[in-house]
Amino acid sequence: MHYFKSTFTVKGAHMTEQLMQTCRDIIAGVAAEAGFESFEDTPEGVTGYVQEGELDRAALDESLKAFPVSGVGVEYTIEEAEDKDWNETWEEQGFEPIDIDGKCIIHDTVHPVCDESSYDINVVIEARMAFGSGTHETTQLVVEEMLKTDLSNKRLLDCGCGTGILSIVASKAGASDIVAYDIDEWSVSNTEHNAHLNAVDNITVLHGDINVLSHVSGMFDIIVANINRNILLSDIPSLHEVMNKGGILIISGFYEEDAPLLTTRASEVGLSLLSTRQKGNWVELTFHN
């Protein structure tokens, strides 16, 4: 899979670190809607990566032109990414273990956990060219909601699986059968790799977008989707079609201001809002069928 790398630079006077982080979050949000898949912070802003053919540059330019922070502008350059694992440095450094509600610990192979036995669920992740180490607020929000949901003997669908973290948590929380898919072939490979690391063998991983479900038989009790707003708006009707009556849909990957639009879309197909969770400006919504 061929990628392009874009360097976003935030321009503005009196830039505090808090304001810079707010700008980074907004850039990541609008860039994700324009096709970008993965991001990393830089001192001056954000670096993003997008697959060849997936970038909607007109939409990106329009969003950045109307940047919602007063007195701040964003410039960006775009170039071909080197044909190598551009997450290599990050992967070598890893990330600090993430404790979720004292019930689940997510860590990498670089930072093992001393007392894994104190957690109900222990997940080890090696991120290889895929989004979803657990460090992002949206991943944590979805995992928190999954831990509140009875997954025992349930069939679960993981949309845009990334590193496979949500599928692995589901398996360890008792889900009986899991189907995961991602448009990025690296993510498919990484999900399979991480499932093996965690001794999980009940995840079927498919390469593609929501259309891969046409080749999947049966319905789902739980659906999780940590993807951007526009894809969710497009896919919610199709996700509803493969949900069992009484099923649960857990979505994240969008900002607070997008929640009403997504709630309306869900209600149009017969889904009822059960709960809302929020970290910073990121939101997670849970619906009941």
Side-chain angles (χ1 to χ4, degrees), residues 16-28:
T16 65
E17 182 55 36
Q18 181 178 2
L19 180 58
M20 173 62 80
Q21 191 56 53
T22 297
C23 293
R24 290 185 184 116
D25 288 344
I26 294 172
I27 292 168

Side-chain angles (χ1 to χ4, degrees), residues 4 46 53 74 86 93 117 129 160 201 231 255 260:
F4 286 94
V46 175
V74 178
W86 34 255
Q93 295 174 347
S117 62
M129 292 280 285
D201 61 4
I231 294 177
Y255 289 108

Side-chain angles (χ1 to χ4, degrees), residues 109-284:
T109 53
V110 181
H111 300 89
V113 178
C114 295
D115 187 14
E116 297 177 357
S117 62
S118 62
Y119 296 91
D120 296 333
I121 296 175
N122 171 41
V123 178
V124 58
I125 293 292
E126 284 186 349
R128 296 178 173 176
M129 292 280 285
F131 173 80
S133 65
T135 60
H136 198 275
E137 290 93 334
T138 59
T139 307
Q140 295 177 35
L141 283 167
V142 175
V143 173
E144 287 173 2
E145 187 61 32
M146 290 172 68
L147 295 176
K148 291 174 53 185
T149 305
D150 181 11
L151 302 183
S152 300
N153 300 313
K154 299 293 176 61
R155 190 174 193 227
L156 182 139
L157 175 66
D158 182 1
C159 312
C161 53
T163 59
I165 189 170
L166 301 181
S167 292
I168 294 165
V169 168
S171 179
K172 295 196 172 190
S176 59
D177 177 42
I178 299 156
V179 175
Y181 69 83
D182 202 294
I183 196 170
D184 183 357
E185 59 187 346
W186 281 94
S187 293
V188 173
S189 175
N190 199 199
T191 294
E192 293 172 338
H193 172 74
N194 286 323
H196 178 73
L197 277 182
N198 287 272
V200 166
D201 61 4
N202 62 339
I203 303 174
T204 300
V205 192
L206 304 174
H207 179 215
D209 59 16
I210 196 168
N211 292 311
V212 301
L213 295 181
S214 63
H215 304 293
V216 177
S217 61
M219 306 288 279
F220 295 92
D221 305 299
I222 310 288
I223 299 177
V224 295
N226 185 19
I227 46 185
N228 76 62
R229 183 198 69 176
N230 288 351
I231 294 177
L232 287 169
L233 287 171
S234 174
D235 289 358
I236 281 175
S238 297
L239 295 177
H240 179 248
E241 290 178 1
V242 297
M243 288 180 67
N244 278 323
K245 185 64 178 175
I248 299 293
L249 172 65
I250 302 171
I251 62 173
S252 193
F254 49 88
Y255 289 108
E256 180 181 10
E257 53 266 32
D258 297 321
L261 188 62
L262 287 159
T263 301
T264 298
R265 184 61 162 161
S267 67
E268 290 172 350
V269 299
L271 296 172
S272 302
L273 182 65
L274 281 180
S275 65
T276 302
R277 301 172 72 87
Q278 186 167 346
K279 283 184 185 291
N281 198 34
W282 298 99
V283 172
E284 175 273 323

Side-chain angles (χ1 to χ4, degrees), residues 61-113:
D61 289 342
E62 185 67 25
S63 295
L64 293 179
K65 182 179 179 181
F67 202 70
V69 180
S70 178
V72 172
V74 178
E75 299 175 355
Y76 75 95
T77 60
I78 190 163
E79 60 184 341
E80 290 189 17
E82 293 182 66
D83 190 15
K84 66 173 186 177
D85 186 341
W86 34 255
N87 270 338
E88 182 178 357
T89 300
W90 184 88
E91 292 166 10
E92 291 175 352
Q93 295 174 347
F95 60 93
E96 293 297 325
I98 300 160
D99 181 311
I100 299 183
D101 294 342
K103 299 177 181 178
C104 175
I105 189 72
I106 301 167
H107 62 95
D108 59 17
T109 53
V110 181
H111 300 89
V113 178

